[in-house]
Amino acid sequence: MARMFNPPHLGEILREYLPEGAMVEEMAHRLSVSRVQFSRALNGRSSISAEMAIRISLLTGTTPESWLTGQMKWDLWLAAQKPRPPVEPLPHAA
């Protein structure tokens, strides 16, 4: 298996789209989410859900798929950092 690199959390990427000096409260209001919910996503303490991906895409002019793909890469990288569970592969069909 190819070794994955450490992808940035989506909050880091989202910061690049925000205007200089943007306030968490203002961005949360624009997204119609709570300040806490936006802050957690922005600071890497929560995942980007499909609903949040749609909202962020509308805010930034990007696609929801790009946000969800980034989230999937982040989640997969985190999971790959843990010890692998003992899983017995299925036998190959002849």
Side-chain angles (χ1 to χ4, degrees), residues 23-84:
M23 301 297 291
V24 170
E25 293 84 2
E26 178 190 351
M27 295 298 110
H29 179 73
R30 285 176 178 254
L31 291 168
S32 297
V33 299
S34 73
R35 180 195 61 77
V36 171
Q37 184 180 3
F38 181 69
S39 177
R40 290 182 52 81
L42 191 63
N43 293 307
R45 292 191 301 273
S46 70
S47 298
I48 303 293
S49 66
E51 180 65 34
M52 183 65 90
I54 290 171
R55 292 169 189 253
I56 292 170
S57 71
L58 293 169
L59 179 73
T60 61
T62 57
T63 66
E65 293 83 2
S66 64
W67 294 99
L68 290 177
T69 298
Q71 185 64 57
M72 177 200 57
K73 288 179 180 180
W74 172 258
D75 292 342
L76 187 56
W77 181 83
L78 280 180
Q81 304 312 301
K82 298 176 183 175
R84 299 204 184 249

